[in-house]
Amino acid sequence: MPDKAHYGLLKGKKGIVFGPLDESSIGWQIALHAYREGAEVAISNIATALRFGNIQELAESCGNAPVIMCDASKDEDVDKAFKELSEKLGSVDFIVHSIGMSQNIRKQVPYEELNYEWFMKTLNVSGISLHRLVSFALKNDVLNDGGSILALSYIASQRNYWTYSDMGDAKSLLESIVRSYGPRLAKRGIRINTISQSPTYTKAGSGIPGFEKMHEYSDLMSPLGNASAEECAEYAVTLLSDLTRKVTMQNLFHDGGYSSMGATIPMIRLADEALHDEELAARVGLEDFSPSK
């Protein structure tokens, strides 16, 4: 990471980031930026992530941060994780949920033919796990008053993105949990939000069929271009800090303006050219999506 100004926004705070795997993951960047803004950080992921990721490297970069193994889809794992967190770090001021997976997407199962066992796992790991983290943090009294809970979402929670499949349903559930928990946490001054990030080249994101095209299209449609994982982390730090203590129950778009765009002139011209080029239209399958005449 190049040298950048740091402002001490999280000085004196403690927190835990669930889900970082390697340098490409947004959770990794959030943990690193939180540490560089003065926070003490703990890191958590499933046990197999130790073999396939670089979590120990991240822990060292974050001042030898404690690493807590936890499968956030299991009650007993989450309960144990927060007990361990309390022993190693004490109560915390923020929790970051950066967890998501879909076997249906990984196996490229069409949405109309979802494997329902995998579908339920998608919802559990990618959505319900947030509820589980919040609930067990409260039960173990490990989250301080005035704290911040943050989860990562995507615009497919609200709009259809064909190849995002059952992850769109999971992100919708994730955002609903945020709204449902918001008032229940507010009496302690705890806020809870999601960031809806641009398509980002993470291990999970890159596994989505046609991801490169999604990424390129989004970049062309965003006035400021796609936001990187590092830029997302910089934004996340503000939501973990006291500067945003009255922001809660929000899904905050961090996508270069993509979510507010209709179309750009170059993209309209490109679509028009494709629609009037029969060979090109056939090659990309436009006839399957052509509007009624």
Side-chain angles (χ1 to χ4, degrees):
M1 183 189 301
D3 289 337
K4 288 191 175 183
H6 299 291
Y7 307 96
L9 292 179
L10 302 181
K11 186 177 181 181
K13 294 191 179 296
K14 301 176 183 178
I16 183 167
V17 180
F18 288 87
L21 180 67
D22 58 26
E23 295 88 340
S24 71
S25 68
I26 297 172
W28 176 293
Q29 294 296 332
I30 291 175
L32 200 54
H33 279 73
Y35 173 71
R36 294 187 175 186
E37 287 295 336
E40 287 185 66
V41 180
I43 298 158
S44 180
N45 209 322
I46 59 176
T48 53
L50 276 178
R51 296 200 303 270
F52 299 108
N54 302 324
I55 295 175
Q56 291 297 345
E57 178 186 329
L58 175 62
E60 291 171 10
S61 298
C62 293
N64 294 316
V67 176
I68 298 173
M69 293 297 99
C70 174
D71 182 342
S73 68
K74 297 177 180 177
D75 291 4
E76 59 275 16
D77 266 34
V78 176
D79 187 41
K80 182 180 177 182
F82 279 117
K83 285 179 168 60
E84 185 177 345
L85 177 66
S86 182
E87 292 172 3
K88 292 183 174 179
L89 209 61
S91 57
V92 296
D93 303 289
F94 61 84
I95 296 171
V96 177
H97 177 284
S98 178
I99 304 169
M101 65 80 66
S102 167
Q103 288 174 281
N104 280 301
I105 290 178
R106 192 179 300 160
K107 302 290 187 180
Q108 299 191 24
V109 178
Y111 187 77
E112 304 91 325
E113 301 172 15
L114 290 181
N115 177 306
Y116 291 118
E117 184 178 343
W118 293 350
F119 187 16
M120 294 305 295
K121 189 167 185 179
T122 298
L123 297 178
N124 192 12
V125 172
S126 308
I128 297 170
S129 60
L130 174 63
H131 190 286
R132 191 175 284 108
L133 292 184
V134 178
S135 295
F136 279 99
L138 296 175
K139 288 175 184 176
N140 284 284
D141 194 27
V142 76
L143 183 59
N144 292 329
D145 290 355
S148 178
I149 301 165
L150 182 63
L152 298 174
S153 192
Y154 182 53
I155 195 172
S157 64
Q158 302 174 17
R159 304 180 193 177
N160 181 275
Y161 283 76
W162 196 271
T163 57
Y164 205 62
S165 191
D166 58 346
M167 276 299 294
D169 300 318
K171 294 299 187 184
S172 295
L173 175 58
L174 185 82
E175 292 176 17
S176 181
I177 289 168
V178 165
R179 290 188 293 272
S180 296
Y181 242 130
R184 293 170 167 85
L185 296 167
K187 59 187 176 183
R188 291 182 51 195
I190 298 169
R191 67 258 193 217
I192 181 168
N193 298 285
T194 53
I195 292 177
S196 187
Q197 165 72 356
S198 299
T200 310
Y201 273 103
T202 63
K203 272 210 166 53
S206 300
I208 298 168
F211 180 80
E212 290 183 4
K213 296 180 180 66
M214 288 173 60
H215 188 275
E216 184 177 8
Y217 174 78
S218 175
D219 200 43
L220 290 169
M221 285 291 292
S222 306
L224 293 176
N226 287 334
S228 67
E230 184 178 349
E231 288 167 330
C232 183
E234 291 172 337
Y235 183 43
V237 164
T238 69
L239 294 169
L240 304 179
S241 78
D242 291 337
L243 297 179
T244 52
R245 56 187 174 273
K246 289 298 174 67
V247 180
T248 195
M249 301 166 63
Q250 301 300 307
N251 179 52
L252 300 157
F253 288 101
H254 184 257
D255 59 8
Y258 174 84
S259 52
S260 293
M261 288 296 293
T264 61
I265 294 298
M267 292 303 293
I268 291 173
R269 289 172 179 162
L270 184 62
D272 184 68
E273 289 289 330
L275 286 168
H276 290 87
D277 185 327
E278 293 185 4
E279 183 181 343
L280 176 57
R283 191 162 69 244
V284 300
L286 276 179
E287 67 274 10
D288 296 333
F289 300 94
S290 60
S292 57
K293 305 299 184 192

PDB file of all heavy atoms in Angstrom, residues 93-124:
ATOM      1  N   ASP A  93     -15.504  -2.048  19.559  1.00  0.00           N
ATOM      2  CA  ASP A  93     -16.283  -0.898  19.108  1.00  0.00           C
ATOM      3  C   ASP A  93     -16.849  -1.084  17.705  1.00  0.00           C
ATOM      4  O   ASP A  93     -17.712  -0.316  17.285  1.00  0.00           O
ATOM      5  CB  ASP A  93     -15.393   0.356  19.118  1.00  0.00           C
ATOM      6  CG  ASP A  93     -14.798   0.609  20.483  1.00  0.00           C
ATOM      7  OD1 ASP A  93     -15.560   1.003  21.389  1.00  0.00           O
ATOM      8  OD2 ASP A  93     -13.581   0.373  20.666  1.00  0.00           O
ATOM      9  N   PHE A  94     -16.352  -2.078  16.977  1.00  0.00           N
ATOM     10  CA  PHE A  94     -16.914  -2.321  15.647  1.00  0.00           C
ATOM     11  C   PHE A  94     -16.790  -3.773  15.242  1.00  0.00           C
ATOM     12  O   PHE A  94     -15.894  -4.493  15.695  1.00  0.00           O
ATOM     13  CB  PHE A  94     -16.276  -1.410  14.590  1.00  0.00           C
ATOM     14  CG  PHE A  94     -14.795  -1.568  14.385  1.00  0.00           C
ATOM     15  CD1 PHE A  94     -14.280  -2.556  13.555  1.00  0.00           C
ATOM     16  CD2 PHE A  94     -13.895  -0.707  15.011  1.00  0.00           C
ATOM     17  CE1 PHE A  94     -12.919  -2.695  13.342  1.00  0.00           C
ATOM     18  CE2 PHE A  94     -12.526  -0.834  14.818  1.00  0.00           C
ATOM     19  CZ  PHE A  94     -12.032  -1.834  13.989  1.00  0.00           C
ATOM     20  N   ILE A  95     -17.737  -4.184  14.407  1.00  0.00           N
ATOM     21  CA  ILE A  95     -17.754  -5.520  13.805  1.00  0.00           C
ATOM     22  C   ILE A  95     -17.954  -5.339  12.313  1.00  0.00           C
ATOM     23  O   ILE A  95     -18.859  -4.613  11.882  1.00  0.00           O
ATOM     24  CB  ILE A  95     -18.897  -6.380  14.385  1.00  0.00           C
ATOM     25  CG1 ILE A  95     -18.698  -6.634  15.877  1.00  0.00           C
ATOM     26  CG2 ILE A  95     -19.026  -7.696  13.614  1.00  0.00           C
ATOM     27  CD1 ILE A  95     -19.896  -7.289  16.553  1.00  0.00           C
ATOM     28  N   VAL A  96     -17.128  -5.998  11.523  1.00  0.00           N
ATOM     29  CA  VAL A  96     -17.245  -5.938  10.062  1.00  0.00           C
ATOM     30  C   VAL A  96     -17.577  -7.328   9.536  1.00  0.00           C
ATOM     31  O   VAL A  96     -16.869  -8.293   9.837  1.00  0.00           O
ATOM     32  CB  VAL A  96     -15.951  -5.416   9.409  1.00  0.00           C
ATOM     33  CG1 VAL A  96     -16.080  -5.449   7.883  1.00  0.00           C
ATOM     34  CG2 VAL A  96     -15.647  -4.003   9.888  1.00  0.00           C
ATOM     35  N   HIS A  97     -18.648  -7.412   8.766  1.00  0.00           N
ATOM     36  CA  HIS A  97     -19.086  -8.662   8.137  1.00  0.00           C
ATOM     37  C   HIS A  97     -18.694  -8.595   6.664  1.00  0.00           C
ATOM     38  O   HIS A  97     -19.248  -7.826   5.883  1.00  0.00           O
ATOM     39  CB  HIS A  97     -20.608  -8.780   8.291  1.00  0.00           C
ATOM     40  CG  HIS A  97     -21.223  -9.984   7.643  1.00  0.00           C
ATOM     41  ND1 HIS A  97     -21.410 -10.081   6.281  1.00  0.00           N
ATOM     42  CD2 HIS A  97     -21.724 -11.127   8.175  1.00  0.00           C
ATOM     43  CE1 HIS A  97     -22.004 -11.235   6.007  1.00  0.00           C
ATOM     44  NE2 HIS A  97     -22.214 -11.887   7.136  1.00  0.00           N
ATOM     45  N   SER A  98     -17.710  -9.400   6.295  1.00  0.00           N
ATOM     46  CA  SER A  98     -17.247  -9.454   4.899  1.00  0.00           C
ATOM     47  C   SER A  98     -17.251 -10.921   4.461  1.00  0.00           C
ATOM     48  O   SER A  98     -16.219 -11.498   4.139  1.00  0.00           O
ATOM     49  CB  SER A  98     -15.836  -8.851   4.796  1.00  0.00           C
ATOM     50  OG  SER A  98     -15.342  -8.932   3.478  1.00  0.00           O
ATOM     51  N   ILE A  99     -18.454 -11.495   4.481  1.00  0.00           N
ATOM     52  CA  ILE A  99     -18.621 -12.932   4.281  1.00  0.00           C
ATOM     53  C   ILE A  99     -19.636 -13.176   3.177  1.00  0.00           C
ATOM     54  O   ILE A  99     -20.712 -12.565   3.175  1.00  0.00           O
ATOM     55  CB  ILE A  99     -19.121 -13.612   5.574  1.00  0.00           C
ATOM     56  CG1 ILE A  99     -18.187 -13.331   6.752  1.00  0.00           C
ATOM     57  CG2 ILE A  99     -19.297 -15.107   5.366  1.00  0.00           C
ATOM     58  CD1 ILE A  99     -18.754 -13.735   8.097  1.00  0.00           C
ATOM     59  N   GLY A 100     -19.310 -14.053   2.243  1.00  0.00           N
ATOM     60  CA  GLY A 100     -20.270 -14.403   1.204  1.00  0.00           C
ATOM     61  C   GLY A 100     -19.793 -15.577   0.374  1.00  0.00           C
ATOM     62  O   GLY A 100     -18.601 -15.707   0.113  1.00  0.00           O
ATOM     63  N   MET A 101     -20.716 -16.434  -0.014  1.00  0.00           N
ATOM     64  CA  MET A 101     -20.383 -17.549  -0.897  1.00  0.00           C
ATOM     65  C   MET A 101     -21.651 -18.131  -1.492  1.00  0.00           C
ATOM     66  O   MET A 101     -22.729 -18.036  -0.896  1.00  0.00           O
ATOM     67  CB  MET A 101     -19.594 -18.634  -0.160  1.00  0.00           C
ATOM     68  CG  MET A 101     -20.337 -19.366   0.957  1.00  0.00           C
ATOM     69  SD  MET A 101     -21.461 -20.671   0.417  1.00  0.00           S
ATOM     70  CE  MET A 101     -20.308 -21.833  -0.260  1.00  0.00           C
ATOM     71  N   SER A 102     -21.526 -18.706  -2.674  1.00  0.00           N
ATOM     72  CA  SER A 102     -22.635 -19.404  -3.316  1.00  0.00           C
ATOM     73  C   SER A 102     -22.092 -20.586  -4.105  1.00  0.00           C
ATOM     74  O   SER A 102     -21.367 -20.405  -5.079  1.00  0.00           O
ATOM     75  CB  SER A 102     -23.415 -18.483  -4.256  1.00  0.00           C
ATOM     76  OG  SER A 102     -24.283 -19.241  -5.085  1.00  0.00           O
ATOM     77  N   GLN A 103     -22.459 -21.776  -3.664  1.00  0.00           N
ATOM     78  CA  GLN A 103     -22.080 -22.964  -4.427  1.00  0.00           C
ATOM     79  C   GLN A 103     -22.816 -23.014  -5.763  1.00  0.00           C
ATOM     80  O   GLN A 103     -22.290 -23.533  -6.744  1.00  0.00           O
ATOM     81  CB  GLN A 103     -22.377 -24.227  -3.610  1.00  0.00           C
ATOM     82  CG  GLN A 103     -21.426 -24.434  -2.443  1.00  0.00           C
ATOM     83  CD  GLN A 103     -21.834 -25.611  -1.584  1.00  0.00           C
ATOM     84  OE1 GLN A 103     -22.748 -25.498  -0.765  1.00  0.00           O
ATOM     85  NE2 GLN A 103     -21.172 -26.732  -1.756  1.00  0.00           N
ATOM     86  N   ASN A 104     -24.031 -22.474  -5.802  1.00  0.00           N
ATOM     87  CA  ASN A 104     -24.780 -22.455  -7.060  1.00  0.00           C
ATOM     88  C   ASN A 104     -24.060 -21.636  -8.119  1.00  0.00           C
ATOM     89  O   ASN A 104     -23.989 -22.031  -9.290  1.00  0.00           O
ATOM     90  CB  ASN A 104     -26.194 -21.904  -6.828  1.00  0.00           C
ATOM     91  CG  ASN A 104     -27.131 -22.939  -6.243  1.00  0.00           C
ATOM     92  OD1 ASN A 104     -27.359 -23.991  -6.833  1.00  0.00           O
ATOM     93  ND2 ASN A 104     -27.662 -22.659  -5.065  1.00  0.00           N
ATOM     94  N   ILE A 105     -23.500 -20.491  -7.711  1.00  0.00           N
ATOM     95  CA  ILE A 105     -22.734 -19.675  -8.650  1.00  0.00           C
ATOM     96  C   ILE A 105     -21.434 -20.380  -9.019  1.00  0.00           C
ATOM     97  O   ILE A 105     -21.046 -20.433 -10.190  1.00  0.00           O
ATOM     98  CB  ILE A 105     -22.448 -18.283  -8.052  1.00  0.00           C
ATOM     99  CG1 ILE A 105     -23.737 -17.462  -7.974  1.00  0.00           C
ATOM    100  CG2 ILE A 105     -21.398 -17.539  -8.885  1.00  0.00           C
ATOM    101  CD1 ILE A 105     -23.566 -16.094  -7.351  1.00  0.00           C
ATOM    102  N   ARG A 106     -20.780 -20.941  -8.007  1.00  0.00           N
ATOM    103  CA  ARG A 106     -19.506 -21.614  -8.247  1.00  0.00           C
ATOM    104  C   ARG A 106     -19.670 -22.764  -9.251  1.00  0.00           C
ATOM    105  O   ARG A 106     -18.823 -22.984 -10.111  1.00  0.00           O
ATOM    106  CB  ARG A 106     -18.964 -22.145  -6.924  1.00  0.00           C
ATOM    107  CG  ARG A 106     -17.515 -22.603  -6.973  1.00  0.00           C
ATOM    108  CD  ARG A 106     -17.071 -23.091  -5.614  1.00  0.00           C
ATOM    109  NE  ARG A 106     -17.176 -22.058  -4.592  1.00  0.00           N
ATOM    110  CZ  ARG A 106     -17.231 -22.311  -3.282  1.00  0.00           C
ATOM    111  NH1 ARG A 106     -17.205 -23.555  -2.857  1.00  0.00           N
ATOM    112  NH2 ARG A 106     -17.313 -21.321  -2.426  1.00  0.00           N
ATOM    113  N   LYS A 107     -20.803 -23.459  -9.147  1.00  0.00           N
ATOM    114  CA  LYS A 107     -21.072 -24.589 -10.043  1.00  0.00           C
ATOM    115  C   LYS A 107     -21.854 -24.167 -11.290  1.00  0.00           C
ATOM    116  O   LYS A 107     -22.220 -25.004 -12.114  1.00  0.00           O
ATOM    117  CB  LYS A 107     -21.860 -25.669  -9.303  1.00  0.00           C
ATOM    118  CG  LYS A 107     -21.176 -26.209  -8.051  1.00  0.00           C
ATOM    119  CD  LYS A 107     -19.964 -27.051  -8.387  1.00  0.00           C
ATOM    120  CE  LYS A 107     -19.412 -27.722  -7.124  1.00  0.00           C
ATOM    121  NZ  LYS A 107     -18.224 -28.558  -7.414  1.00  0.00           N
ATOM    122  N   GLN A 108     -22.128 -22.848 -11.397  1.00  0.00           N
ATOM    123  CA  GLN A 108     -22.825 -22.274 -12.551  1.00  0.00           C
ATOM    124  C   GLN A 108     -24.189 -22.937 -12.782  1.00  0.00           C
ATOM    125  O   GLN A 108     -24.575 -23.260 -13.911  1.00  0.00           O
ATOM    126  CB  GLN A 108     -21.955 -22.342 -13.805  1.00  0.00           C
ATOM    127  CG  GLN A 108     -20.667 -21.559 -13.660  1.00  0.00           C
ATOM    128  CD  GLN A 108     -19.898 -21.375 -14.957  1.00  0.00           C
ATOM    129  OE1 GLN A 108     -20.473 -21.430 -16.041  1.00  0.00           O
ATOM    130  NE2 GLN A 108     -18.600 -21.155 -14.853  1.00  0.00           N
ATOM    131  N   VAL A 109     -24.916 -23.122 -11.684  1.00  0.00           N
ATOM    132  CA  VAL A 109     -26.274 -23.655 -11.769  1.00  0.00           C
ATOM    133  C   VAL A 109     -27.227 -22.511 -12.123  1.00  0.00           C
ATOM    134  O   VAL A 109     -27.221 -21.483 -11.455  1.00  0.00           O
ATOM    135  CB  VAL A 109     -26.698 -24.281 -10.418  1.00  0.00           C
ATOM    136  CG1 VAL A 109     -28.135 -24.800 -10.496  1.00  0.00           C
ATOM    137  CG2 VAL A 109     -25.732 -25.384 -10.018  1.00  0.00           C
ATOM    138  N   PRO A 110     -28.054 -22.640 -13.159  1.00  0.00           N
ATOM    139  CA  PRO A 110     -28.989 -21.573 -13.519  1.00  0.00           C
ATOM    140  C   PRO A 110     -29.950 -21.264 -12.367  1.00  0.00           C
ATOM    141  O   PRO A 110     -30.312 -22.173 -11.601  1.00  0.00           O
ATOM    142  CB  PRO A 110     -29.755 -22.151 -14.726  1.00  0.00           C
ATOM    143  CG  PRO A 110     -28.882 -23.229 -15.259  1.00  0.00           C
ATOM    144  CD  PRO A 110     -28.141 -23.793 -14.086  1.00  0.00           C
ATOM    145  N   TYR A 111     -30.372 -20.020 -12.266  1.00  0.00           N
ATOM    146  CA  TYR A 111     -31.256 -19.603 -11.165  1.00  0.00           C
ATOM    147  C   TYR A 111     -32.539 -20.425 -11.149  1.00  0.00           C
ATOM    148  O   TYR A 111     -33.064 -20.754 -10.090  1.00  0.00           O
ATOM    149  CB  TYR A 111     -31.584 -18.115 -11.291  1.00  0.00           C
ATOM    150  CG  TYR A 111     -32.347 -17.579 -10.114  1.00  0.00           C
ATOM    151  CD1 TYR A 111     -31.698 -17.305  -8.914  1.00  0.00           C
ATOM    152  CD2 TYR A 111     -33.725 -17.353 -10.192  1.00  0.00           C
ATOM    153  CE1 TYR A 111     -32.400 -16.820  -7.815  1.00  0.00           C
ATOM    154  CE2 TYR A 111     -34.432 -16.872  -9.096  1.00  0.00           C
ATOM    155  CZ  TYR A 111     -33.767 -16.610  -7.910  1.00  0.00           C
ATOM    156  OH  TYR A 111     -34.462 -16.132  -6.822  1.00  0.00           O
ATOM    157  N   GLU A 112     -33.040 -20.771 -12.332  1.00  0.00           N
ATOM    158  CA  GLU A 112     -34.284 -21.540 -12.419  1.00  0.00           C
ATOM    159  C   GLU A 112     -34.122 -22.975 -11.929  1.00  0.00           C
ATOM    160  O   GLU A 112     -35.116 -23.666 -11.694  1.00  0.00           O
ATOM    161  CB  GLU A 112     -34.786 -21.590 -13.875  1.00  0.00           C
ATOM    162  CG  GLU A 112     -34.994 -20.229 -14.522  1.00  0.00           C
ATOM    163  CD  GLU A 112     -33.740 -19.724 -15.246  1.00  0.00           C
ATOM    164  OE1 GLU A 112     -32.619 -19.991 -14.749  1.00  0.00           O
ATOM    165  OE2 GLU A 112     -33.909 -19.080 -16.296  1.00  0.00           O
ATOM    166  N   GLU A 113     -32.879 -23.410 -11.754  1.00  0.00           N
ATOM    167  CA  GLU A 113     -32.625 -24.802 -11.382  1.00  0.00           C
ATOM    168  C   GLU A 113     -31.769 -24.901 -10.121  1.00  0.00           C
ATOM    169  O   GLU A 113     -31.017 -25.847  -9.926  1.00  0.00           O
ATOM    170  CB  GLU A 113     -31.925 -25.522 -12.539  1.00  0.00           C
ATOM    171  CG  GLU A 113     -32.732 -25.521 -13.836  1.00  0.00           C
ATOM    172  CD  GLU A 113     -31.937 -26.069 -15.007  1.00  0.00           C
ATOM    173  OE1 GLU A 113     -30.884 -26.705 -14.780  1.00  0.00           O
ATOM    174  OE2 GLU A 113     -32.372 -25.858 -16.154  1.00  0.00           O
ATOM    175  N   LEU A 114     -31.880 -23.908  -9.243  1.00  0.00           N
ATOM    176  CA  LEU A 114     -31.037 -23.877  -8.043  1.00  0.00           C
ATOM    177  C   LEU A 114     -31.098 -25.174  -7.251  1.00  0.00           C
ATOM    178  O   LEU A 114     -32.161 -25.787  -7.100  1.00  0.00           O
ATOM    179  CB  LEU A 114     -31.472 -22.735  -7.115  1.00  0.00           C
ATOM    180  CG  LEU A 114     -31.199 -21.302  -7.566  1.00  0.00           C
ATOM    181  CD1 LEU A 114     -31.688 -20.328  -6.502  1.00  0.00           C
ATOM    182  CD2 LEU A 114     -29.728 -21.068  -7.867  1.00  0.00           C
ATOM    183  N   ASN A 115     -29.954 -25.580  -6.757  1.00  0.00           N
ATOM    184  CA  ASN A 115     -29.884 -26.642  -5.774  1.00  0.00           C
ATOM    185  C   ASN A 115     -30.311 -26.003  -4.448  1.00  0.00           C
ATOM    186  O   ASN A 115     -29.633 -25.119  -3.920  1.00  0.00           O
ATOM    187  CB  ASN A 115     -28.455 -27.176  -5.695  1.00  0.00           C
ATOM    188  CG  ASN A 115     -28.271 -28.237  -4.642  1.00  0.00           C
ATOM    189  OD1 ASN A 115     -28.596 -28.050  -3.479  1.00  0.00           O
ATOM    190  ND2 ASN A 115     -27.716 -29.369  -5.048  1.00  0.00           N
ATOM    191  N   TYR A 116     -31.432 -26.442  -3.895  1.00  0.00           N
ATOM    192  CA  TYR A 116     -32.000 -25.751  -2.735  1.00  0.00           C
ATOM    193  C   TYR A 116     -31.170 -25.929  -1.466  1.00  0.00           C
ATOM    194  O   TYR A 116     -31.150 -25.042  -0.608  1.00  0.00           O
ATOM    195  CB  TYR A 116     -33.445 -26.194  -2.511  1.00  0.00           C
ATOM    196  CG  TYR A 116     -34.371 -25.704  -3.605  1.00  0.00           C
ATOM    197  CD1 TYR A 116     -35.050 -26.600  -4.415  1.00  0.00           C
ATOM    198  CD2 TYR A 116     -34.537 -24.339  -3.842  1.00  0.00           C
ATOM    199  CE1 TYR A 116     -35.878 -26.162  -5.433  1.00  0.00           C
ATOM    200  CE2 TYR A 116     -35.356 -23.879  -4.852  1.00  0.00           C
ATOM    201  CZ  TYR A 116     -36.026 -24.796  -5.655  1.00  0.00           C
ATOM    202  OH  TYR A 116     -36.832 -24.345  -6.660  1.00  0.00           O
ATOM    203  N   GLU A 117     -30.492 -27.043  -1.360  1.00  0.00           N
ATOM    204  CA  GLU A 117     -29.594 -27.220  -0.215  1.00  0.00           C
ATOM    205  C   GLU A 117     -28.477 -26.182  -0.279  1.00  0.00           C
ATOM    206  O   GLU A 117     -28.130 -25.541   0.724  1.00  0.00           O
ATOM    207  CB  GLU A 117     -29.017 -28.631  -0.215  1.00  0.00           C
ATOM    208  CG  GLU A 117     -28.148 -28.934   1.000  1.00  0.00           C
ATOM    209  CD  GLU A 117     -27.617 -30.358   1.008  1.00  0.00           C
ATOM    210  OE1 GLU A 117     -28.164 -31.202   0.271  1.00  0.00           O
ATOM    211  OE2 GLU A 117     -26.652 -30.617   1.758  1.00  0.00           O
ATOM    212  N   TRP A 118     -27.933 -25.972  -1.473  1.00  0.00           N
ATOM    213  CA  TRP A 118     -26.897 -24.944  -1.648  1.00  0.00           C
ATOM    214  C   TRP A 118     -27.485 -23.547  -1.469  1.00  0.00           C
ATOM    215  O   TRP A 118     -26.820 -22.650  -0.928  1.00  0.00           O
ATOM    216  CB  TRP A 118     -26.266 -25.073  -3.032  1.00  0.00           C
ATOM    217  CG  TRP A 118     -25.476 -26.328  -3.230  1.00  0.00           C
ATOM    218  CD1 TRP A 118     -25.117 -27.238  -2.273  1.00  0.00           C
ATOM    219  CD2 TRP A 118     -24.958 -26.825  -4.469  1.00  0.00           C
ATOM    220  NE1 TRP A 118     -24.398 -28.263  -2.838  1.00  0.00           N
ATOM    221  CE2 TRP A 118     -24.279 -28.043  -4.182  1.00  0.00           C
ATOM    222  CE3 TRP A 118     -24.992 -26.369  -5.782  1.00  0.00           C
ATOM    223  CZ2 TRP A 118     -23.652 -28.792  -5.170  1.00  0.00           C
ATOM    224  CZ3 TRP A 118     -24.359 -27.114  -6.778  1.00  0.00           C
ATOM    225  CH2 TRP A 118     -23.704 -28.315  -6.471  1.00  0.00           C
ATOM    226  N   PHE A 119     -28.716 -23.371  -1.947  1.00  0.00           N
ATOM    227  CA  PHE A 119     -29.390 -22.081  -1.822  1.00  0.00           C
ATOM    228  C   PHE A 119     -29.513 -21.687  -0.349  1.00  0.00           C
ATOM    229  O   PHE A 119     -29.211 -20.552   0.042  1.00  0.00           O
ATOM    230  CB  PHE A 119     -30.770 -22.175  -2.473  1.00  0.00           C
ATOM    231  CG  PHE A 119     -31.526 -20.874  -2.579  1.00  0.00           C
ATOM    232  CD1 PHE A 119     -30.920 -19.642  -2.426  1.00  0.00           C
ATOM    233  CD2 PHE A 119     -32.891 -20.899  -2.849  1.00  0.00           C
ATOM    234  CE1 PHE A 119     -31.625 -18.453  -2.535  1.00  0.00           C
ATOM    235  CE2 PHE A 119     -33.607 -19.726  -2.970  1.00  0.00           C
ATOM    236  CZ  PHE A 119     -32.980 -18.495  -2.802  1.00  0.00           C
ATOM    237  N   MET A 120     -29.947 -22.627   0.489  1.00  0.00           N
ATOM    238  CA  MET A 120     -30.078 -22.344   1.911  1.00  0.00           C
ATOM    239  C   MET A 120     -28.723 -22.026   2.535  1.00  0.00           C
ATOM    240  O   MET A 120     -28.621 -21.174   3.423  1.00  0.00           O
ATOM    241  CB  MET A 120     -30.728 -23.535   2.624  1.00  0.00           C
ATOM    242  CG  MET A 120     -32.163 -23.791   2.204  1.00  0.00           C
ATOM    243  SD  MET A 120     -33.232 -22.330   2.382  1.00  0.00           S
ATOM    244  CE  MET A 120     -33.202 -22.108   4.149  1.00  0.00           C
ATOM    245  N   LYS A 121     -27.680 -22.697   2.034  1.00  0.00           N
ATOM    246  CA  LYS A 121     -26.338 -22.402   2.547  1.00  0.00           C
ATOM    247  C   LYS A 121     -25.905 -20.993   2.133  1.00  0.00           C
ATOM    248  O   LYS A 121     -25.270 -20.274   2.913  1.00  0.00           O
ATOM    249  CB  LYS A 121     -25.342 -23.437   2.033  1.00  0.00           C
ATOM    250  CG  LYS A 121     -23.981 -23.327   2.699  1.00  0.00           C
ATOM    251  CD  LYS A 121     -23.101 -24.532   2.421  1.00  0.00           C
ATOM    252  CE  LYS A 121     -21.801 -24.454   3.194  1.00  0.00           C
ATOM    253  NZ  LYS A 121     -20.936 -25.634   2.960  1.00  0.00           N
ATOM    254  N   THR A 122     -26.252 -20.591   0.900  1.00  0.00           N
ATOM    255  CA  THR A 122     -25.953 -19.227   0.454  1.00  0.00           C
ATOM    256  C   THR A 122     -26.590 -18.208   1.391  1.00  0.00           C
ATOM    257  O   THR A 122     -25.948 -17.245   1.831  1.00  0.00           O
ATOM    258  CB  THR A 122     -26.473 -18.997  -0.972  1.00  0.00           C
ATOM    259  OG1 THR A 122     -25.822 -19.886  -1.874  1.00  0.00           O
ATOM    260  CG2 THR A 122     -26.212 -17.561  -1.429  1.00  0.00           C
ATOM    261  N   LEU A 123     -27.876 -18.415   1.694  1.00  0.00           N
ATOM    262  CA  LEU A 123     -28.592 -17.489   2.573  1.00  0.00           C
ATOM    263  C   LEU A 123     -28.005 -17.494   3.977  1.00  0.00           C
ATOM    264  O   LEU A 123     -27.867 -16.435   4.612  1.00  0.00           O
ATOM    265  CB  LEU A 123     -30.075 -17.861   2.628  1.00  0.00           C
ATOM    266  CG  LEU A 123     -30.856 -17.764   1.319  1.00  0.00           C
ATOM    267  CD1 LEU A 123     -32.300 -18.219   1.526  1.00  0.00           C
ATOM    268  CD2 LEU A 123     -30.828 -16.346   0.758  1.00  0.00           C
ATOM    269  N   ASN A 124     -27.627 -18.670   4.449  1.00  0.00           N
ATOM    270  CA  ASN A 124     -27.079 -18.792   5.794  1.00  0.00           C
ATOM    271  C   ASN A 124     -25.721 -18.113   5.911  1.00  0.00           C
ATOM    272  O   ASN A 124     -25.491 -17.276   6.787  1.00  0.00           O
ATOM    273  CB  ASN A 124     -26.971 -20.273   6.179  1.00  0.00           C
ATOM    274  CG  ASN A 124     -26.679 -20.475   7.654  1.00  0.00           C
ATOM    275  OD1 ASN A 124     -26.762 -19.555   8.459  1.00  0.00           O
ATOM    276  ND2 ASN A 124     -26.326 -21.696   8.016  1.00  0.00           N
TER     277      ASN A 124
END
